[in-house]
Amino acid sequence: VPKISSGLSHLSLFEKETLQNRISLQQLGIIQSNRQAWRPIRGLPETSVAILRSWLFEHFLHPYPNDSEKLMLSSQTGLSKNQVSNWFINARVRLWKPMIEEMYKEEFAESSVESDP
């Protein structure tokens, strides 16, 4: 049993050893230092999202990919067809619909200003 000296508790020795282990693992590249090791990565990879977002804006007037387009996007992004489908469901609600609503609001605001004497 190691002797504890100079008022260090078992907990602080444990914390110091844990920190040293974490730093060693970070140096080996096993743990990324910018996030906690126990927390899972959320969301899709940025490169995949960029490809999907690009398709969405290229097809802004009809943002509904058919099955063959979903398979193509799936192979380009490395996602499953189901992930691609779910991304488009969410993107139409979170990105596309608010943009359409904003465009209509601006259009009606301009037309009402023009019709006022």
Side-chain angles (χ1 to χ4, degrees):
V1 178
K3 187 176 180 181
I4 299 172
S5 61
S6 68
L8 292 177
S9 68
H10 286 287
L11 184 58
S12 63
L13 284 175
F14 174 77
E15 289 172 343
K16 185 176 181 180
E17 185 176 307
T18 302
L19 179 62
Q20 288 171 342
N21 288 340
R22 184 170 174 81
I23 290 170
S24 298
L25 290 173
Q26 286 174 357
Q27 289 170 343
L28 292 172
I30 295 172
I31 297 178
Q32 294 180 6
S33 60
N34 60 349
R35 66 178 183 84
Q36 296 172 343
W38 53 266
R39 186 172 180 202
I41 298 174
R42 300 210 43 196
L44 301 175
E46 289 179 30
T47 53
S48 299
V49 171
I51 292 168
L52 297 174
R53 187 183 292 258
S54 173
W55 192 98
L56 177 75
F57 289 118
E58 286 173 13
H59 299 83
F60 191 80
L61 297 177
H62 186 75
Y64 297 88
N66 60 32
D67 282 344
S68 64
E69 290 170 323
K70 287 178 189 176
L71 287 172
M72 179 212 38
L73 289 166
S74 174
S75 67
Q76 287 179 348
T77 59
L79 304 174
S80 69
K81 184 181 169 199
N82 192 43
Q83 285 175 305
V84 170
S85 296
N86 287 339
W87 187 90
F88 275 98
I89 291 167
N90 291 327
R92 285 190 294 266
V93 172
R94 297 174 185 166
L95 300 173
W96 183 76
K97 185 180 175 189
M99 291 176 76
I100 294 292
E101 290 171 346
E102 185 66 26
M103 289 167 59
Y104 273 108
K105 191 166 59 173
E106 289 174 4
E107 182 70 27
F108 286 119
E110 288 175 10
S111 63
S112 66
V113 168
E114 290 172 1
S115 64
D116 287 341

